Amino acid sequence: MIDFFAQQCALFSKGVDGAVKSKNYYLATLNIGQAFNASVMQGLIGWRCGLMSPVESFKKAVRQLSEGVRTIESFSENNCSKDLPIEKAVVISFLVDLPLPTLRINDLRSDRLLDAVLGNGLCRDWDESAWNTGLAQLKQNKRATLAVKTYTAYNHLRKNEGEDLNELIEHAESFFQNRAKDAFFSGGDETDGGGPDNDITIDYRLAAIMKKIGYNGGSAHRWQWS
């Protein structure tokens, strides 16, 4: 599977080159996003299955996306934040200690807005108003009950207001396991661990929060690399 996603990354990277030459914004963002996801999947699978450190794959993913954004901005005035998973790259960049990509949240909503607030809040100011807006939007989706519970658990863990950390983390871990049979996550990106991808991926958002609060317990989702 790792080899497969490495091939996918190479394929989509070639697609980026062709799209940039023709200044095709939408084709470029499509290929950049897919190349990013393929690199992230390599890291997640290697991590979950104990095959390799995810660090280099994650760093490659963030750098690919950051370089892609700069390239697109050289020929287009469109807001890349709307069409690329920059909010996910921000969370992953925190894990591997890379500079956080610039993210404009104006055009994001629902779970994407929540990811953006979470990512920015790891190293920048927490935007409580935007978080509440994103959560309210997510609640409007009848299939997103598990997602609402998940993001609520993230926020409780992030704030850590005297609650039992181990209990909060156990809740978050159980919500991740439940993605295997959840329609909302099964219809999302592979990197989110929905459907059959649940057994081969890790909750990298939970990992980032645990790193932020300095948790050193025994969770399988805990980041273990400096």
Side-chain angles (χ1 to χ4, degrees), residues 156-223:
H156 285 165
L157 182 60
R158 178 194 66 84
K159 291 189 293 186
N160 186 20
E161 296 177 336
E163 299 174 86
D164 187 290
L165 277 182
N166 291 320
E167 183 176 331
L168 292 175
I169 290 169
E170 286 175 5
H171 281 155
E173 290 176 333
S174 69
F175 294 149
F176 182 79
Q177 291 172 353
N178 290 341
R179 296 183 191 186
K181 297 181 180 180
D182 184 75
F184 179 85
F185 285 104
S186 295
D189 288 340
E190 295 166 305
T191 58
D192 289 337
D197 296 306
N198 192 258
D199 290 335
I200 58 170
T201 53
I202 285 286
D203 189 342
Y204 64 87
R205 297 174 181 87
L206 176 58
I209 297 170
M210 287 194 286
K211 178 181 177 180
K212 175 69 175 180
I213 66 175
Y215 180 77
N216 292 314
S219 172
H221 301 271
R222 183 173 63 86
W223 184 251

Coordinates of all heavy atoms in Angstrom, one line a residue, residues 156-223:
H156 N -12.4 19.8 23.9 CA -12.3 19.5 25.3 C -10.9 19.1 25.7 O -10.4 19.6 26.7 CB -13.3 18.4 25.7 CG -14.7 18.8 25.8 ND1 -15.8 17.9 25.8 CD2 -15.3 20.0 25.8 CE1 -16.9 18.5 25.8 NE2 -16.6 19.8 25.8
L157 N -10.3 18.3 24.9 CA -8.9 17.8 25.1 C -7.9 19.0 25.0 O -7.0 19.2 25.8 CB -8.5 16.7 24.2 CG -7.1 16.1 24.3 CD1 -7.0 15.5 25.7 CD2 -6.9 15.0 23.3
R158 N -8.2 19.8 24.0 CA -7.3 21.0 23.8 C -7.3 21.9 25.0 O -6.3 22.4 25.5 CB -7.7 21.7 22.5 CG -6.9 23.0 22.2 CD -7.6 23.9 21.2 NE -8.9 24.4 21.7 CZ -9.0 25.5 22.4 NH1 -7.9 26.2 22.7 NH2 -10.2 26.0 22.8
K159 N -8.5 22.2 25.5 CA -8.7 23.1 26.6 C -8.2 22.5 27.9 O -7.7 23.2 28.8 CB -10.1 23.6 26.7 CG -10.6 24.4 25.6 CD -12.0 25.0 25.8 CE -13.1 24.0 25.8 NZ -14.4 24.6 25.9
N160 N -8.4 21.2 28.1 CA -7.9 20.5 29.3 C -8.3 21.2 30.6 O -7.4 21.6 31.3 CB -6.4 20.3 29.2 CG -5.9 19.4 30.3 OD1 -6.6 18.7 30.9 ND2 -4.6 19.5 30.5
E161 N -9.6 21.4 30.8 CA -10.0 22.2 32.0 C -10.3 21.3 33.2 O -11.4 21.2 33.7 CB -11.3 23.0 31.6 CG -11.0 24.0 30.5 CD -12.2 24.8 30.1 OE1 -13.4 24.3 30.3 OE2 -12.1 25.9 29.6
G162 N -9.3 20.6 33.6 CA -9.4 19.8 34.8 C -10.0 18.4 34.6 O -10.2 17.7 35.6
E163 N -10.4 18.1 33.4 CA -11.0 16.8 33.2 C -9.9 15.7 33.1 O -8.7 16.0 32.9 CB -11.8 16.8 31.9 CG -13.0 17.8 31.9 CD -13.7 18.0 30.6 OE1 -14.6 17.2 30.3 OE2 -13.3 18.9 29.8
D164 N -10.3 14.5 33.2 CA -9.4 13.4 33.1 C -8.9 13.2 31.7 O -9.6 12.9 30.8 CB -10.1 12.1 33.6 CG -9.1 10.9 33.7 OD1 -8.6 10.4 32.7 OD2 -8.9 10.5 34.8
L165 N -7.6 13.4 31.5 CA -7.0 13.4 30.2 C -7.1 12.0 29.5 O -7.5 11.9 28.4 CB -5.5 13.7 30.2 CG -5.1 15.2 30.2 CD1 -3.6 15.4 30.2 CD2 -5.8 15.9 29.0
N166 N -6.9 11.0 30.3 CA -7.0 9.6 29.8 C -8.4 9.3 29.3 O -8.6 8.7 28.2 CB -6.5 8.6 30.8 CG -5.0 8.7 31.1 OD1 -4.2 8.8 30.2 ND2 -4.7 8.5 32.4
E167 N -9.4 9.8 30.0 CA -10.8 9.5 29.6 C -11.1 10.3 28.4 O -11.8 9.7 27.5 CB -11.7 10.0 30.8 CG -13.2 9.7 30.5 CD -14.1 10.0 31.7 OE1 -13.6 9.9 32.8 OE2 -15.2 10.4 31.4
L168 N -10.7 11.5 28.3 CA -10.9 12.3 27.1 C -10.3 11.7 25.8 O -10.9 11.6 24.8 CB -10.4 13.7 27.2 CG -11.1 14.6 28.3 CD1 -10.4 16.0 28.4 CD2 -12.6 14.9 27.8
I169 N -9.1 11.2 26.0 CA -8.4 10.6 24.9 C -9.0 9.3 24.5 O -9.1 8.9 23.3 CB -6.9 10.4 25.3 CG1 -6.2 11.7 25.3 CG2 -6.2 9.5 24.2 CD1 -4.8 11.7 25.9
E170 N -9.5 8.5 25.5 CA -10.2 7.3 25.2 C -11.4 7.5 24.4 O -11.8 6.8 23.4 CB -10.5 6.5 26.5 CG -9.3 5.9 27.1 CD -9.6 5.2 28.5 OE1 -10.8 5.2 28.8 OE2 -8.7 4.8 29.1
H171 N -12.1 8.6 24.7 CA -13.3 9.0 24.0 C -13.0 9.3 22.5 O -13.6 8.8 21.6 CB -14.0 10.2 24.6 CG -14.8 9.8 25.8 ND1 -15.1 10.7 26.8 CD2 -15.5 8.7 26.2 CE1 -15.9 10.1 27.7 NE2 -16.1 8.9 27.4
A172 N -11.9 10.1 22.3 CA -11.5 10.5 21.0 C -11.1 9.3 20.2 O -11.4 9.2 19.0 CB -10.4 11.5 21.1
E173 N -10.4 8.4 20.8 CA -9.9 7.2 20.1 C -11.1 6.3 19.7 O -11.1 5.7 18.6 CB -9.0 6.3 21.1 CG -7.7 7.0 21.3 CD -6.8 6.2 22.3 OE1 -7.4 5.5 23.1 OE2 -5.6 6.3 22.2
S174 N -12.1 6.2 20.6 CA -13.3 5.4 20.2 C -14.1 6.0 19.1 O -14.6 5.3 18.2 CB -14.2 5.2 21.4 OG -14.8 6.5 21.8
F175 N -14.1 7.4 19.0 CA -14.8 8.0 17.9 C -14.1 7.8 16.6 O -14.7 7.6 15.6 CB -14.9 9.6 18.2 CG -15.7 9.9 19.4 CD1 -15.5 11.1 20.1 CD2 -16.8 9.2 19.7 CE1 -16.3 11.4 21.2 CE2 -17.6 9.5 20.8 CZ -17.4 10.6 21.5
F176 N -12.7 7.7 16.7 CA -12.0 7.4 15.5 C -12.3 6.0 15.0 O -12.5 5.8 13.8 CB -10.5 7.6 15.7 CG -9.6 7.3 14.5 CD1 -9.5 8.3 13.5 CD2 -9.0 6.1 14.3 CE1 -8.8 8.0 12.3 CE2 -8.2 5.8 13.2 CZ -8.1 6.8 12.2
Q177 N -12.3 5.0 15.9 CA -12.6 3.6 15.6 C -14.0 3.5 14.9 O -14.2 2.8 14.0 CB -12.6 2.8 16.8 CG -11.1 2.6 17.3 CD -11.1 1.9 18.7 OE1 -12.2 1.6 19.3 NE2 -9.9 1.6 19.2
N178 N -14.9 4.4 15.4 CA -16.3 4.3 14.9 C -16.4 4.8 13.4 O -17.4 4.6 12.8 CB -17.2 5.1 15.8 CG -17.5 4.5 17.1 OD1 -17.2 3.2 17.3 ND2 -17.9 5.2 18.1
R179 N -15.4 5.5 13.0 CA -15.4 6.0 11.6 C -15.4 4.8 10.6 O -15.8 5.0 9.4 CB -14.1 6.8 11.3 CG -14.0 8.1 12.1 CD -12.8 8.9 11.7 NE -12.6 10.0 12.6 CZ -11.6 11.0 12.4 NH1 -10.9 10.9 11.4 NH2 -11.5 11.9 13.3
A180 N -15.0 3.7 11.0 CA -15.0 2.5 10.1 C -16.4 2.2 9.5 O -16.5 1.7 8.4 CB -14.5 1.3 10.8
K181 N -17.5 2.5 10.3 CA -18.8 2.2 9.9 C -19.7 3.5 9.8 O -20.9 3.4 9.8 CB -19.5 1.2 10.8 CG -18.7 -0.1 10.9 CD -19.4 -1.1 11.8 CE -18.7 -2.4 11.9 NZ -19.4 -3.4 12.8
D182 N -19.0 4.6 9.7 CA -19.7 5.9 9.6 C -19.8 6.5 8.2 O -18.8 6.6 7.5 CB -19.0 6.9 10.5 CG -19.8 8.2 10.6 OD1 -20.8 8.3 11.3 OD2 -19.4 9.2 10.0
A183 N -21.0 6.8 7.8 CA -21.2 7.3 6.4 C -20.5 8.6 6.1 O -20.0 8.7 5.0 CB -22.7 7.4 6.1
F184 N -20.5 9.5 7.1 CA -19.8 10.8 6.8 C -18.3 10.6 6.6 O -17.8 11.1 5.6 CB -20.0 11.7 8.1 CG -19.4 13.0 7.9 CD1 -20.0 14.1 7.3 CD2 -18.1 13.3 8.5 CE1 -19.5 15.3 7.2 CE2 -17.5 14.5 8.3 CZ -18.2 15.6 7.7
F185 N -17.7 9.9 7.4 CA -16.2 9.7 7.2 C -15.9 8.7 6.1 O -14.9 8.9 5.4 CB -15.6 9.2 8.5 CG -15.4 10.3 9.5 CD1 -16.3 10.4 10.6 CD2 -14.5 11.3 9.4 CE1 -16.2 11.4 11.6 CE2 -14.3 12.3 10.3 CZ -15.2 12.3 11.4
S186 N -16.7 7.7 5.9 CA -16.5 6.8 4.8 C -16.6 7.5 3.4 O -15.9 7.0 2.5 CB -17.5 5.6 4.8 OG -17.4 4.9 6.0
G187 N -17.3 8.6 3.3 CA -17.4 9.3 2.1 C -16.4 10.4 2.0 O -16.4 11.2 1.0
G188 N -15.5 10.5 2.9 CA -14.5 11.6 2.9 C -13.1 11.1 2.4 O -13.0 10.0 1.8
D189 N -12.1 11.9 2.6 CA -10.7 11.5 2.2 C -10.2 10.3 2.9 O -10.6 10.0 4.1 CB -9.8 12.7 2.5 CG -10.0 13.8 1.5 OD1 -10.6 13.6 0.5 OD2 -9.6 15.0 1.9
E190 N -9.4 9.5 2.3 CA -8.8 8.3 2.9 C -8.0 8.7 4.1 O -8.0 7.9 5.1 CB -7.9 7.7 1.9 CG -8.6 7.1 0.6 CD -7.6 6.7 -0.5 OE1 -6.8 7.6 -0.9 OE2 -7.6 5.6 -0.9
T191 N -7.4 9.9 4.1 CA -6.6 10.3 5.3 C -7.4 10.4 6.6 O -6.8 10.5 7.6 CB -5.9 11.6 5.0 OG1 -6.8 12.6 4.6 CG2 -4.9 11.4 3.8
D192 N -8.7 10.5 6.5 CA -9.6 10.7 7.6 C -9.9 9.4 8.3 O -10.6 9.4 9.4 CB -10.8 11.5 7.3 CG -10.5 12.9 7.0 OD1 -9.5 13.4 7.4 OD2 -11.3 13.6 6.3
G193 N -9.6 8.3 7.7 CA -9.8 7.0 8.4 C -11.2 6.4 8.4 O -11.6 5.7 9.2
G194 N -12.0 6.8 7.3 CA -13.3 6.3 7.2 C -13.3 4.9 6.5 O -12.4 4.6 5.8
G195 N -14.3 4.1 6.8 CA -14.5 2.8 6.1 C -13.3 1.9 6.3 O -12.7 1.8 7.4
P196 N -12.8 1.2 5.2 CA -11.8 0.2 5.3 C -10.4 0.9 5.6 O -9.5 0.2 6.0 CB -11.7 -0.4 3.9 CG -12.4 0.6 3.0 CD -13.4 1.2 3.8
D197 N -10.3 2.2 5.5 CA -9.0 2.9 5.8 C -8.8 3.0 7.3 O -7.7 3.4 7.7 CB -9.0 4.3 5.1 CG -9.0 4.2 3.6 OD1 -8.2 3.4 3.0 OD2 -9.9 4.8 3.0
N198 N -9.8 2.7 8.1 CA -9.7 2.9 9.5 C -8.6 2.1 10.1 O -7.9 2.5 11.1 CB -11.0 2.6 10.2 CG -11.1 3.1 11.6 OD1 -10.9 2.3 12.5 ND2 -11.3 4.4 11.9
D199 N -8.4 0.9 9.6 CA -7.4 -0.1 10.2 C -6.0 0.3 9.8 O -5.1 -0.3 10.3 CB -7.8 -1.5 9.7 CG -9.0 -2.0 10.4 OD1 -9.4 -1.6 11.5 OD2 -9.6 -2.9 9.8
I200 N -5.8 1.2 8.8 CA -4.5 1.4 8.3 C -4.1 2.9 8.5 O -3.0 3.3 8.0 CB -4.3 1.0 6.9 CG1 -5.3 1.8 6.0 CG2 -4.4 -0.5 6.7 CD1 -5.1 1.7 4.5
T201 N -4.9 3.7 9.3 CA -4.6 5.1 9.4 C -4.6 5.4 10.9 O -5.0 4.6 11.8 CB -5.6 6.0 8.7 OG1 -6.9 5.6 9.1 CG2 -5.4 5.8 7.2
I202 N -4.2 6.7 11.2 CA -4.0 7.2 12.5 C -4.8 8.5 12.6 O -4.9 9.2 11.6 CB -2.6 7.4 12.9 CG1 -1.8 6.1 13.2 CG2 -2.4 8.4 14.0 CD1 -2.2 5.5 14.5
D203 N -5.3 8.9 13.7 CA -6.0 10.2 13.9 C -4.9 11.2 14.1 O -4.5 11.5 15.3 CB -6.9 10.1 15.1 CG -7.8 11.4 15.2 OD1 -7.5 12.4 14.5 OD2 -8.8 11.3 15.9
Y204 N -4.4 11.8 13.0 CA -3.3 12.8 13.1 C -3.7 14.1 13.8 O -2.9 14.8 14.4 CB -2.7 13.1 11.8 CG -3.6 13.7 10.8 CD1 -3.7 15.1 10.7 CD2 -4.4 13.0 9.9 CE1 -4.6 15.8 9.8 CE2 -5.2 13.6 9.0 CZ -5.3 15.0 8.9 OH -6.1 15.6 8.0
R205 N -5.0 14.4 13.8 CA -5.5 15.6 14.5 C -5.4 15.4 16.0 O -4.9 16.2 16.7 CB -7.0 15.9 14.1 CG -7.2 16.2 12.7 CD -8.7 16.3 12.4 NE -9.0 16.6 11.0 CZ -9.2 15.7 10.1 NH1 -9.0 14.4 10.3 NH2 -9.5 16.1 8.8
L206 N -5.8 14.2 16.5 CA -5.7 13.8 17.9 C -4.2 13.8 18.3 O -3.8 14.3 19.3 CB -6.3 12.5 18.1 CG -6.2 11.9 19.5 CD1 -6.8 12.8 20.6 CD2 -6.9 10.5 19.6
A207 N -3.4 13.3 17.4 CA -1.9 13.3 17.7 C -1.4 14.7 17.9 O -0.6 14.9 18.8 CB -1.2 12.6 16.5
A208 N -1.8 15.6 17.0 CA -1.3 17.0 17.1 C -1.8 17.6 18.4 O -1.0 18.4 19.1 CB -1.8 17.8 15.9
I209 N -3.0 17.4 18.9 CA -3.5 18.0 20.1 C -2.7 17.4 21.3 O -2.3 18.1 22.2 CB -5.0 17.7 20.3 CG1 -5.8 18.4 19.2 CG2 -5.5 18.2 21.6 CD1 -7.2 18.0 19.1
M210 N -2.5 16.1 21.3 CA -1.7 15.4 22.4 C -0.3 16.0 22.4 O 0.3 16.2 23.5 CB -1.7 13.9 22.2 CG -3.1 13.3 22.5 SD -3.0 11.5 22.7 CE -2.8 11.0 21.0
K211 N 0.3 16.3 21.3 CA 1.6 16.9 21.2 C 1.5 18.3 21.8 O 2.4 18.7 22.6 CB 2.1 16.9 19.8 CG 3.5 17.6 19.7 CD 4.0 17.7 18.3 CE 5.4 18.4 18.2 NZ 5.9 18.5 16.8
K212 N 0.5 19.0 21.5 CA 0.4 20.4 22.0 C 0.3 20.4 23.5 O 0.9 21.3 24.1 CB -0.9 21.0 21.3 CG -1.2 22.4 21.8 CD -0.2 23.4 21.4 CE -0.6 24.8 21.8 NZ 0.3 25.8 21.4
I213 N -0.5 19.5 24.1 CA -0.7 19.6 25.5 C 0.4 18.8 26.3 O 0.3 18.7 27.5 CB -2.1 19.1 25.9 CG1 -2.3 17.6 25.6 CG2 -3.2 19.9 25.2 CD1 -3.6 17.0 26.0
G214 N 1.3 18.1 25.5 CA 2.4 17.4 26.2 C 2.0 16.1 26.8 O 2.6 15.6 27.8
Y215 N 1.0 15.4 26.2 CA 0.6 14.1 26.7 C 1.6 13.0 26.3 O 1.9 12.9 25.2 CB -0.8 13.8 26.1 CG -1.3 12.4 26.6 CD1 -1.9 12.3 27.9 CD2 -1.3 11.3 25.8 CE1 -2.4 11.1 28.4 CE2 -1.8 10.1 26.2 CZ -2.3 10.0 27.5 OH -2.8 8.8 28.0
N216 N 2.0 12.2 27.3 CA 3.0 11.2 27.1 C 2.5 9.8 27.4 O 3.2 8.9 27.8 CB 4.2 11.5 27.9 CG 5.0 12.7 27.4 OD1 5.2 12.8 26.2 ND2 5.4 13.6 28.3
G217 N 1.2 9.6 27.4 CA 0.6 8.3 27.7 C 0.8 7.3 26.6 O 1.5 7.5 25.7
G218 N 0.0 6.2 26.7 CA 0.2 5.0 25.9 C -0.6 5.0 24.6 O -0.8 3.9 24.0
S219 N -1.2 6.1 24.2 CA -2.1 6.0 23.1 C -1.4 5.7 21.8 O -0.3 6.2 21.5 CB -2.8 7.4 22.9 OG -3.5 7.5 21.7
A220 N -2.0 4.9 20.9 CA -1.5 4.5 19.6 C -1.4 5.7 18.7 O -0.6 5.7 17.8 CB -2.3 3.4 19.0
H221 N -2.2 6.7 19.0 CA -2.2 7.9 18.2 C -1.2 9.0 18.7 O -1.2 10.1 18.1 CB -3.7 8.5 18.2 CG -4.7 7.6 17.7 ND1 -5.1 7.5 16.4 CD2 -5.5 6.7 18.4 CE1 -6.0 6.6 16.2 NE2 -6.2 6.1 17.4
R222 N -0.5 8.7 19.7 CA 0.5 9.7 20.2 C 1.7 9.8 19.3 O 2.2 8.9 18.8 CB 0.9 9.3 21.6 CG 1.9 10.3 22.3 CD 2.2 10.0 23.7 NE 2.9 8.7 23.8 CZ 4.2 8.6 23.7 NH1 5.0 9.6 23.5 NH2 4.8 7.4 23.9
W223 N 2.1 11.1 19.0 CA 3.2 11.4 18.2 C 4.5 11.0 18.9 O 4.7 11.4 20.1 CB 3.2 12.8 17.8 CG 4.3 13.2 16.9 CD1 5.4 14.0 17.1 CD2 4.4 12.9 15.5 NE1 6.2 14.1 16.0 CE2 5.6 13.5 15.0 CE3 3.6 12.2 14.6 CZ2 6.0 13.4 13.6 CZ3 4.0 12.1 13.3 CH2 5.1 12.7 12.8

